[in-house]
Amino acid sequence: MHEASPYLQQHAYNPVDWYPWGPEALERAKREDKPIFLSIGYSSCHWCHVMERESFADPETAEIMNRHFVCIKVDREERPDLDDIYQTICQLVTRSGGWPLSVWLTPEQKPFYVGTYFPPVERYGRPGFRQVLLALAQAWREKRQEVEKVAESWARGIAQTDELLPPAGPMPDHRLVADAARALAERIDRQHGGFGGAPKFPNTMALDLMLRHWKATGDDLFLHLVTLTLRKMAEGGIYDQLGGGFHRYSVDARWAVPHFEKMLYDNALLPPVYLSAWQATGEPLFRRIVEETLDYVLREMTHPEGGFFSTTDADSEGEEGRYYVWDPREVTAVLGPDLGALLCRHYGVTEAGNFERTGKTVLHIAEPAADLASSLGLPVEEVERRLAEGRRRLLEARSRRVPPFRDEKILAGWNGLMISALARAGRILRRPDYAEAARRAAAFVLDRLADGEGGLLRRYKDGHAGIPGYLEDHAFMAAGLIDLYECTFDERFLQEAMRLTEETLRRFYDGSGSFHLTQSGAEPLIHRPRDTTDQSVPSGAAVAVVNLLRLQPYRRDDRFREVADTAFRAHRDLMARVPGATATLLQALDLYLDGPTEVTLVGDPPEAWLEALGRRYEPNLVLTRIEAPRDDAPIWAGKAAGTGPVAYVCRNFACSPPATTWEELAQHLGGA
């Protein structure tokens, strides 16, 4: 196989004749009258690796696969369209889903059997993989009519999912946002934070919506629940206490033991929420987590030319978590008995451990520095100094371990998320190094992943780019460029964001308020899915709507606002029914209903203004700067210059008098 993704690469031990998705494999299936076996996974998926070792690498199993099926492998991170279609089928049929996703198709791409992980022999209440293969091969030969009837039925079922959206209704109001925030608050674990029980995912989009509701209402319960969640995550094993950055999710309700893979998108989505919490509270912990997470990405997940890699595995040396866990002897060997004992107390490293597979410990904050200082009779500053020294030495020692595999493919959309995170942190924290990293990444994506027709390609690896970009690639990159403009005031990024947003409408918008996942004129599949709800990343459609509203103040026509209006009417019932899955669209609705807080700076603003503005939590901020008066965009029109820098605050088509001091600007924003 000649594909970019490590998940798709052929291995010497792997005797299956894998094909990439494409005309060659589909035509072969038709020519040889064979069904297709489609395996969808990704490089850091634990059970994907298990099934690879147990079944695909087994010569007898591979012989059955090659004889009876045309076998295709797909990386879900490269082909979210195929994953969406067949994952939806799996959930409709089995009421569950996940990866690896195993699907059997007719040569016309219609599924007739579906599941996730299959063990080599019957166990865990699941049939053995070889047993399934032989039964389906026999059914294809002897019961073709029944197989094709199932395939037709399932294909109709996936097509009918488009019909589930009700007709557009009246424009929703603030009550919908408030009801959604309250519904989310009811689901939060009051002891450990986060939503529900185990396994527990960060769900940054829902946390962001609740912070907005706190800002709108002043109800401190919402701020408390968000900051409780963020604090517990930062203290738990889901956060890499030595190297920074977040693991994928926690397998328990206390954030203690993670699934150890690290995804670029999690480490792009979490820093902006921590930034917002820092703005809202001033708590140093939240700023520290932002900086440590972004520093981790720049240190370990960055291509030499500026783009960002996708993931690191959970496993190293064949064991999940091996790279990250410790026992007391290992800590003492690095730090000596006294400092080792201190770090073991701080991070909860015990002989029993908390990672049951090994008896070792996932580092977490068991005794905070203040508690240690009190029990030892030492100043807190001295304990913190010792802990910092211990962390540095443990991280250095850990770096000599065999690291987890890093998937070095670069995805346009995920890079857009990280550009947003870096640009926001660069602006808010006044970190020019973050702004420069965002600039380099934006240049990389706009150069290496340009499709030659004004849009983006999906994936770059080893000097090669490919796969037409999806909705999230265009929407997330446009959002990143808007944030980068507000960080640097370089109008090239604003112009690129406007252009990509126009392309988003041209390629993905259907005119009825919905956006498709794939481009118009894309490869014909059995279904063209819509992008409606948040998943591990925000809905591409919702981010596209946010972009429309953030860019509307720069346009002389109302087209962007009209598309947003239609989207809210079309999805009103969905937002009311499943607020947890539509949190990003609800954030967009909040921006639409309240209108942006437009801050226009004329001239060269003092650094003190920008620092103070960065400390304010203004979720609907639209920030712009011009050197001198101009009227080529509505947001700039009528903004006169003064003898020094001036600022204007505009809301709902009404603007403040010019502010010439920070105190005046703060008053126009609503308080000091």
Side-chain angles (χ1 to χ4, degrees), residues 308-337:
F308 301 110
F309 301 133
S310 296
T311 66
T312 55
D313 275 6
D315 301 4
S316 54
E317 300 184 80
E319 293 182 21
E320 183 177 357
R322 182 183 179 95
Y323 184 74
Y324 298 101
V325 296
W326 297 81
D327 63 34
R329 288 174 297 283
E330 291 170 327
V331 174
T332 302
V334 174
L335 302 179

PDB file of all heavy atoms in Angstrom, residues 308-337:
ATOM      1  N   PHE A 308       1.649  20.825  12.611  1.00  0.00           N
ATOM      2  CA  PHE A 308       1.546  20.028  13.836  1.00  0.00           C
ATOM      3  C   PHE A 308       1.120  18.593  13.526  1.00  0.00           C
ATOM      4  O   PHE A 308       0.201  18.359  12.744  1.00  0.00           O
ATOM      5  CB  PHE A 308       0.538  20.671  14.799  1.00  0.00           C
ATOM      6  CG  PHE A 308       0.910  22.078  15.172  1.00  0.00           C
ATOM      7  CD1 PHE A 308       0.158  23.146  14.712  1.00  0.00           C
ATOM      8  CD2 PHE A 308       2.029  22.330  15.943  1.00  0.00           C
ATOM      9  CE1 PHE A 308       0.505  24.453  15.029  1.00  0.00           C
ATOM     10  CE2 PHE A 308       2.393  23.631  16.259  1.00  0.00           C
ATOM     11  CZ  PHE A 308       1.632  24.695  15.805  1.00  0.00           C
ATOM     12  N   PHE A 309       1.803  17.655  14.174  1.00  0.00           N
ATOM     13  CA  PHE A 309       1.511  16.240  14.003  1.00  0.00           C
ATOM     14  C   PHE A 309       0.208  15.877  14.709  1.00  0.00           C
ATOM     15  O   PHE A 309      -0.295  16.616  15.561  1.00  0.00           O
ATOM     16  CB  PHE A 309       2.654  15.397  14.547  1.00  0.00           C
ATOM     17  CG  PHE A 309       3.991  15.672  13.899  1.00  0.00           C
ATOM     18  CD1 PHE A 309       5.133  15.843  14.664  1.00  0.00           C
ATOM     19  CD2 PHE A 309       4.100  15.763  12.522  1.00  0.00           C
ATOM     20  CE1 PHE A 309       6.365  16.100  14.079  1.00  0.00           C
ATOM     21  CE2 PHE A 309       5.333  16.016  11.916  1.00  0.00           C
ATOM     22  CZ  PHE A 309       6.470  16.191  12.700  1.00  0.00           C
ATOM     23  N   SER A 310      -0.304  14.698  14.399  1.00  0.00           N
ATOM     24  CA  SER A 310      -1.677  14.352  14.794  1.00  0.00           C
ATOM     25  C   SER A 310      -1.797  13.729  16.183  1.00  0.00           C
ATOM     26  O   SER A 310      -2.626  14.160  16.988  1.00  0.00           O
ATOM     27  CB  SER A 310      -2.284  13.390  13.766  1.00  0.00           C
ATOM     28  OG  SER A 310      -2.404  14.018  12.527  1.00  0.00           O
ATOM     29  N   THR A 311      -1.028  12.679  16.458  1.00  0.00           N
ATOM     30  CA  THR A 311      -1.254  11.913  17.686  1.00  0.00           C
ATOM     31  C   THR A 311       0.040  11.277  18.160  1.00  0.00           C
ATOM     32  O   THR A 311       1.000  11.139  17.402  1.00  0.00           O
ATOM     33  CB  THR A 311      -2.269  10.774  17.468  1.00  0.00           C
ATOM     34  OG1 THR A 311      -1.717   9.811  16.566  1.00  0.00           O
ATOM     35  CG2 THR A 311      -3.579  11.269  16.913  1.00  0.00           C
ATOM     36  N   THR A 312       0.031  10.860  19.434  1.00  0.00           N
ATOM     37  CA  THR A 312       1.001   9.880  19.921  1.00  0.00           C
ATOM     38  C   THR A 312       0.222   8.725  20.533  1.00  0.00           C
ATOM     39  O   THR A 312      -0.849   8.912  21.118  1.00  0.00           O
ATOM     40  CB  THR A 312       1.974  10.459  20.968  1.00  0.00           C
ATOM     41  OG1 THR A 312       1.234  11.045  22.036  1.00  0.00           O
ATOM     42  CG2 THR A 312       2.869  11.509  20.354  1.00  0.00           C
ATOM     43  N   ASP A 313       0.772   7.533  20.392  1.00  0.00           N
ATOM     44  CA  ASP A 313       0.102   6.315  20.839  1.00  0.00           C
ATOM     45  C   ASP A 313      -0.020   6.247  22.349  1.00  0.00           C
ATOM     46  O   ASP A 313       0.722   6.906  23.096  1.00  0.00           O
ATOM     47  CB  ASP A 313       0.886   5.081  20.388  1.00  0.00           C
ATOM     48  CG  ASP A 313       0.532   4.660  18.969  1.00  0.00           C
ATOM     49  OD1 ASP A 313      -0.229   5.389  18.313  1.00  0.00           O
ATOM     50  OD2 ASP A 313       1.032   3.618  18.529  1.00  0.00           O
ATOM     51  N   ALA A 314      -0.920   5.380  22.793  1.00  0.00           N
ATOM     52  CA  ALA A 314      -1.017   5.049  24.208  1.00  0.00           C
ATOM     53  C   ALA A 314       0.075   4.076  24.626  1.00  0.00           C
ATOM     54  O   ALA A 314       0.505   4.072  25.777  1.00  0.00           O
ATOM     55  CB  ALA A 314      -2.385   4.446  24.513  1.00  0.00           C
ATOM     56  N   ASP A 315       0.517   3.244  23.688  1.00  0.00           N
ATOM     57  CA  ASP A 315       1.441   2.151  24.002  1.00  0.00           C
ATOM     58  C   ASP A 315       2.885   2.542  23.704  1.00  0.00           C
ATOM     59  O   ASP A 315       3.159   3.345  22.818  1.00  0.00           O
ATOM     60  CB  ASP A 315       1.118   0.913  23.163  1.00  0.00           C
ATOM     61  CG  ASP A 315      -0.293   0.403  23.377  1.00  0.00           C
ATOM     62  OD1 ASP A 315      -1.048   1.057  24.115  1.00  0.00           O
ATOM     63  OD2 ASP A 315      -0.626  -0.641  22.804  1.00  0.00           O
ATOM     64  N   SER A 316       3.798   1.939  24.446  1.00  0.00           N
ATOM     65  CA  SER A 316       5.214   1.919  24.078  1.00  0.00           C
ATOM     66  C   SER A 316       5.779   0.593  24.577  1.00  0.00           C
ATOM     67  O   SER A 316       5.379   0.093  25.635  1.00  0.00           O
ATOM     68  CB  SER A 316       5.987   3.101  24.670  1.00  0.00           C
ATOM     69  OG  SER A 316       5.829   3.181  26.062  1.00  0.00           O
ATOM     70  N   GLU A 317       6.656   0.030  23.790  1.00  0.00           N
ATOM     71  CA  GLU A 317       7.221  -1.295  24.087  1.00  0.00           C
ATOM     72  C   GLU A 317       6.124  -2.329  24.331  1.00  0.00           C
ATOM     73  O   GLU A 317       6.264  -3.219  25.167  1.00  0.00           O
ATOM     74  CB  GLU A 317       8.177  -1.222  25.277  1.00  0.00           C
ATOM     75  CG  GLU A 317       9.364  -0.288  25.070  1.00  0.00           C
ATOM     76  CD  GLU A 317      10.328  -0.326  26.222  1.00  0.00           C
ATOM     77  OE1 GLU A 317      11.154  -1.257  26.290  1.00  0.00           O
ATOM     78  OE2 GLU A 317      10.246   0.577  27.078  1.00  0.00           O
ATOM     79  N   GLY A 318       5.018  -2.165  23.599  1.00  0.00           N
ATOM     80  CA  GLY A 318       3.936  -3.131  23.677  1.00  0.00           C
ATOM     81  C   GLY A 318       3.037  -3.022  24.891  1.00  0.00           C
ATOM     82  O   GLY A 318       2.163  -3.866  25.083  1.00  0.00           O
ATOM     83  N   GLU A 319       3.224  -1.999  25.727  1.00  0.00           N
ATOM     84  CA  GLU A 319       2.411  -1.847  26.939  1.00  0.00           C
ATOM     85  C   GLU A 319       1.771  -0.471  26.970  1.00  0.00           C
ATOM     86  O   GLU A 319       2.450   0.544  26.777  1.00  0.00           O
ATOM     87  CB  GLU A 319       3.268  -2.021  28.194  1.00  0.00           C
ATOM     88  CG  GLU A 319       3.812  -3.412  28.422  1.00  0.00           C
ATOM     89  CD  GLU A 319       4.601  -3.506  29.720  1.00  0.00           C
ATOM     90  OE1 GLU A 319       4.398  -2.639  30.606  1.00  0.00           O
ATOM     91  OE2 GLU A 319       5.426  -4.421  29.846  1.00  0.00           O
ATOM     92  N   GLU A 320       0.489  -0.452  27.265  1.00  0.00           N
ATOM     93  CA  GLU A 320      -0.192   0.829  27.398  1.00  0.00           C
ATOM     94  C   GLU A 320       0.336   1.577  28.622  1.00  0.00           C
ATOM     95  O   GLU A 320       0.438   1.027  29.719  1.00  0.00           O
ATOM     96  CB  GLU A 320      -1.703   0.628  27.532  1.00  0.00           C
ATOM     97  CG  GLU A 320      -2.455   1.952  27.598  1.00  0.00           C
ATOM     98  CD  GLU A 320      -3.958   1.793  27.660  1.00  0.00           C
ATOM     99  OE1 GLU A 320      -4.437   0.641  27.589  1.00  0.00           O
ATOM    100  OE2 GLU A 320      -4.641   2.818  27.780  1.00  0.00           O
ATOM    101  N   GLY A 321       0.678   2.852  28.429  1.00  0.00           N
ATOM    102  CA  GLY A 321       1.080   3.711  29.535  1.00  0.00           C
ATOM    103  C   GLY A 321       2.488   3.522  30.050  1.00  0.00           C
ATOM    104  O   GLY A 321       2.913   4.245  30.951  1.00  0.00           O
ATOM    105  N   ARG A 322       3.241   2.578  29.506  1.00  0.00           N
ATOM    106  CA  ARG A 322       4.566   2.259  30.050  1.00  0.00           C
ATOM    107  C   ARG A 322       5.467   3.495  30.138  1.00  0.00           C
ATOM    108  O   ARG A 322       6.246   3.647  31.078  1.00  0.00           O
ATOM    109  CB  ARG A 322       5.236   1.190  29.187  1.00  0.00           C
ATOM    110  CG  ARG A 322       6.612   0.748  29.685  1.00  0.00           C
ATOM    111  CD  ARG A 322       7.238  -0.265  28.728  1.00  0.00           C
ATOM    112  NE  ARG A 322       8.555  -0.691  29.163  1.00  0.00           N
ATOM    113  CZ  ARG A 322       8.805  -1.775  29.883  1.00  0.00           C
ATOM    114  NH1 ARG A 322       7.804  -2.564  30.256  1.00  0.00           N
ATOM    115  NH2 ARG A 322      10.033  -2.079  30.246  1.00  0.00           N
ATOM    116  N   TYR A 323       5.370   4.364  29.144  1.00  0.00           N
ATOM    117  CA  TYR A 323       6.230   5.549  29.096  1.00  0.00           C
ATOM    118  C   TYR A 323       5.951   6.510  30.252  1.00  0.00           C
ATOM    119  O   TYR A 323       6.846   7.237  30.685  1.00  0.00           O
ATOM    120  CB  TYR A 323       5.994   6.259  27.764  1.00  0.00           C
ATOM    121  CG  TYR A 323       6.865   7.463  27.506  1.00  0.00           C
ATOM    122  CD1 TYR A 323       8.210   7.317  27.186  1.00  0.00           C
ATOM    123  CD2 TYR A 323       6.331   8.756  27.541  1.00  0.00           C
ATOM    124  CE1 TYR A 323       9.008   8.419  26.921  1.00  0.00           C
ATOM    125  CE2 TYR A 323       7.115   9.863  27.277  1.00  0.00           C
ATOM    126  CZ  TYR A 323       8.453   9.690  26.968  1.00  0.00           C
ATOM    127  OH  TYR A 323       9.237  10.785  26.710  1.00  0.00           O
ATOM    128  N   TYR A 324       4.720   6.505  30.780  1.00  0.00           N
ATOM    129  CA  TYR A 324       4.285   7.558  31.688  1.00  0.00           C
ATOM    130  C   TYR A 324       4.252   7.163  33.166  1.00  0.00           C
ATOM    131  O   TYR A 324       4.205   8.044  34.035  1.00  0.00           O
ATOM    132  CB  TYR A 324       2.878   8.044  31.293  1.00  0.00           C
ATOM    133  CG  TYR A 324       2.821   8.647  29.919  1.00  0.00           C
ATOM    134  CD1 TYR A 324       2.341   7.913  28.836  1.00  0.00           C
ATOM    135  CD2 TYR A 324       3.251   9.940  29.694  1.00  0.00           C
ATOM    136  CE1 TYR A 324       2.288   8.468  27.564  1.00  0.00           C
ATOM    137  CE2 TYR A 324       3.197  10.504  28.427  1.00  0.00           C
ATOM    138  CZ  TYR A 324       2.718   9.762  27.359  1.00  0.00           C
ATOM    139  OH  TYR A 324       2.675  10.308  26.107  1.00  0.00           O
ATOM    140  N   VAL A 325       4.226   5.869  33.492  1.00  0.00           N
ATOM    141  CA  VAL A 325       3.962   5.459  34.880  1.00  0.00           C
ATOM    142  C   VAL A 325       5.273   5.213  35.639  1.00  0.00           C
ATOM    143  O   VAL A 325       6.320   4.947  35.049  1.00  0.00           O
ATOM    144  CB  VAL A 325       3.064   4.205  34.920  1.00  0.00           C
ATOM    145  CG1 VAL A 325       1.697   4.522  34.330  1.00  0.00           C
ATOM    146  CG2 VAL A 325       3.703   3.030  34.173  1.00  0.00           C
ATOM    147  N   TRP A 326       5.169   5.273  36.993  1.00  0.00           N
ATOM    148  CA  TRP A 326       6.339   5.195  37.869  1.00  0.00           C
ATOM    149  C   TRP A 326       6.026   4.336  39.089  1.00  0.00           C
ATOM    150  O   TRP A 326       4.873   4.221  39.502  1.00  0.00           O
ATOM    151  CB  TRP A 326       6.736   6.592  38.355  1.00  0.00           C
ATOM    152  CG  TRP A 326       7.146   7.526  37.270  1.00  0.00           C
ATOM    153  CD1 TRP A 326       6.335   8.246  36.446  1.00  0.00           C
ATOM    154  CD2 TRP A 326       8.485   7.845  36.877  1.00  0.00           C
ATOM    155  NE1 TRP A 326       7.070   8.993  35.564  1.00  0.00           N
ATOM    156  CE2 TRP A 326       8.402   8.773  35.808  1.00  0.00           C
ATOM    157  CE3 TRP A 326       9.739   7.449  37.329  1.00  0.00           C
ATOM    158  CZ2 TRP A 326       9.531   9.301  35.190  1.00  0.00           C
ATOM    159  CZ3 TRP A 326      10.871   7.991  36.706  1.00  0.00           C
ATOM    160  CH2 TRP A 326      10.758   8.899  35.648  1.00  0.00           C
ATOM    161  N   ASP A 327       7.097   3.798  39.682  1.00  0.00           N
ATOM    162  CA  ASP A 327       6.982   3.210  41.018  1.00  0.00           C
ATOM    163  C   ASP A 327       8.001   3.899  41.922  1.00  0.00           C
ATOM    164  O   ASP A 327       8.884   4.628  41.448  1.00  0.00           O
ATOM    165  CB  ASP A 327       7.163   1.689  40.995  1.00  0.00           C
ATOM    166  CG  ASP A 327       8.533   1.236  40.525  1.00  0.00           C
ATOM    167  OD1 ASP A 327       9.539   1.927  40.799  1.00  0.00           O
ATOM    168  OD2 ASP A 327       8.618   0.172  39.888  1.00  0.00           O
ATOM    169  N   PRO A 328       7.894   3.726  43.255  1.00  0.00           N
ATOM    170  CA  PRO A 328       8.787   4.460  44.170  1.00  0.00           C
ATOM    171  C   PRO A 328      10.265   4.216  43.907  1.00  0.00           C
ATOM    172  O   PRO A 328      11.080   5.143  44.043  1.00  0.00           O
ATOM    173  CB  PRO A 328       8.363   3.937  45.550  1.00  0.00           C
ATOM    174  CG  PRO A 328       6.946   3.513  45.384  1.00  0.00           C
ATOM    175  CD  PRO A 328       6.860   2.959  43.993  1.00  0.00           C
ATOM    176  N   ARG A 329      10.631   2.997  43.528  1.00  0.00           N
ATOM    177  CA  ARG A 329      12.047   2.714  43.290  1.00  0.00           C
ATOM    178  C   ARG A 329      12.582   3.511  42.105  1.00  0.00           C
ATOM    179  O   ARG A 329      13.712   4.012  42.145  1.00  0.00           O
ATOM    180  CB  ARG A 329      12.241   1.210  43.058  1.00  0.00           C
ATOM    181  CG  ARG A 329      12.076   0.373  44.329  1.00  0.00           C
ATOM    182  CD  ARG A 329      12.137  -1.116  44.042  1.00  0.00           C
ATOM    183  NE  ARG A 329      11.036  -1.554  43.180  1.00  0.00           N
ATOM    184  CZ  ARG A 329       9.788  -1.741  43.618  1.00  0.00           C
ATOM    185  NH1 ARG A 329       9.491  -1.532  44.897  1.00  0.00           N
ATOM    186  NH2 ARG A 329       8.850  -2.145  42.794  1.00  0.00           N
ATOM    187  N   GLU A 330      11.773   3.627  41.054  1.00  0.00           N
ATOM    188  CA  GLU A 330      12.210   4.397  39.889  1.00  0.00           C
ATOM    189  C   GLU A 330      12.370   5.875  40.228  1.00  0.00           C
ATOM    190  O   GLU A 330      13.335   6.526  39.796  1.00  0.00           O
ATOM    191  CB  GLU A 330      11.198   4.226  38.753  1.00  0.00           C
ATOM    192  CG  GLU A 330      11.177   2.819  38.154  1.00  0.00           C
ATOM    193  CD  GLU A 330      10.009   2.616  37.210  1.00  0.00           C
ATOM    194  OE1 GLU A 330       8.933   3.203  37.446  1.00  0.00           O
ATOM    195  OE2 GLU A 330      10.172   1.867  36.228  1.00  0.00           O
ATOM    196  N   VAL A 331      11.445   6.413  40.997  1.00  0.00           N
ATOM    197  CA  VAL A 331      11.535   7.822  41.386  1.00  0.00           C
ATOM    198  C   VAL A 331      12.770   8.056  42.244  1.00  0.00           C
ATOM    199  O   VAL A 331      13.538   9.010  42.032  1.00  0.00           O
ATOM    200  CB  VAL A 331      10.253   8.264  42.123  1.00  0.00           C
ATOM    201  CG1 VAL A 331      10.399   9.680  42.656  1.00  0.00           C
ATOM    202  CG2 VAL A 331       9.035   8.152  41.206  1.00  0.00           C
ATOM    203  N   THR A 332      12.987   7.179  43.218  1.00  0.00           N
ATOM    204  CA  THR A 332      14.139   7.330  44.115  1.00  0.00           C
ATOM    205  C   THR A 332      15.451   7.172  43.366  1.00  0.00           C
ATOM    206  O   THR A 332      16.438   7.865  43.654  1.00  0.00           O
ATOM    207  CB  THR A 332      14.050   6.305  45.254  1.00  0.00           C
ATOM    208  OG1 THR A 332      12.820   6.503  45.957  1.00  0.00           O
ATOM    209  CG2 THR A 332      15.215   6.464  46.224  1.00  0.00           C
ATOM    210  N   ALA A 333      15.493   6.289  42.394  1.00  0.00           N
ATOM    211  CA  ALA A 333      16.722   6.090  41.617  1.00  0.00           C
ATOM    212  C   ALA A 333      17.110   7.362  40.871  1.00  0.00           C
ATOM    213  O   ALA A 333      18.303   7.638  40.674  1.00  0.00           O
ATOM    214  CB  ALA A 333      16.534   4.938  40.637  1.00  0.00           C
ATOM    215  N   VAL A 334      16.146   8.158  40.466  1.00  0.00           N
ATOM    216  CA  VAL A 334      16.428   9.396  39.744  1.00  0.00           C
ATOM    217  C   VAL A 334      16.715  10.549  40.697  1.00  0.00           C
ATOM    218  O   VAL A 334      17.630  11.349  40.465  1.00  0.00           O
ATOM    219  CB  VAL A 334      15.243   9.759  38.821  1.00  0.00           C
ATOM    220  CG1 VAL A 334      15.462  11.122  38.159  1.00  0.00           C
ATOM    221  CG2 VAL A 334      15.026   8.687  37.774  1.00  0.00           C
ATOM    222  N   LEU A 335      15.979  10.623  41.805  1.00  0.00           N
ATOM    223  CA  LEU A 335      16.009  11.818  42.650  1.00  0.00           C
ATOM    224  C   LEU A 335      16.728  11.635  43.985  1.00  0.00           C
ATOM    225  O   LEU A 335      16.999  12.634  44.663  1.00  0.00           O
ATOM    226  CB  LEU A 335      14.572  12.284  42.937  1.00  0.00           C
ATOM    227  CG  LEU A 335      13.692  12.607  41.725  1.00  0.00           C
ATOM    228  CD1 LEU A 335      12.306  13.037  42.184  1.00  0.00           C
ATOM    229  CD2 LEU A 335      14.334  13.685  40.858  1.00  0.00           C
ATOM    230  N   GLY A 336      17.025  10.401  44.351  1.00  0.00           N
ATOM    231  CA  GLY A 336      17.560  10.180  45.685  1.00  0.00           C
ATOM    232  C   GLY A 336      16.437  10.041  46.698  1.00  0.00           C
ATOM    233  O   GLY A 336      15.273  10.351  46.406  1.00  0.00           O
ATOM    234  N   PRO A 337      16.778   9.602  47.934  1.00  0.00           N
ATOM    235  CA  PRO A 337      15.709   9.268  48.897  1.00  0.00           C
ATOM    236  C   PRO A 337      14.879  10.462  49.358  1.00  0.00           C
ATOM    237  O   PRO A 337      13.655  10.359  49.472  1.00  0.00           O
ATOM    238  CB  PRO A 337      16.467   8.626  50.058  1.00  0.00           C
ATOM    239  CG  PRO A 337      17.879   9.084  49.903  1.00  0.00           C
ATOM    240  CD  PRO A 337      18.111   9.260  48.437  1.00  0.00           C
TER     241      PRO A 337
END
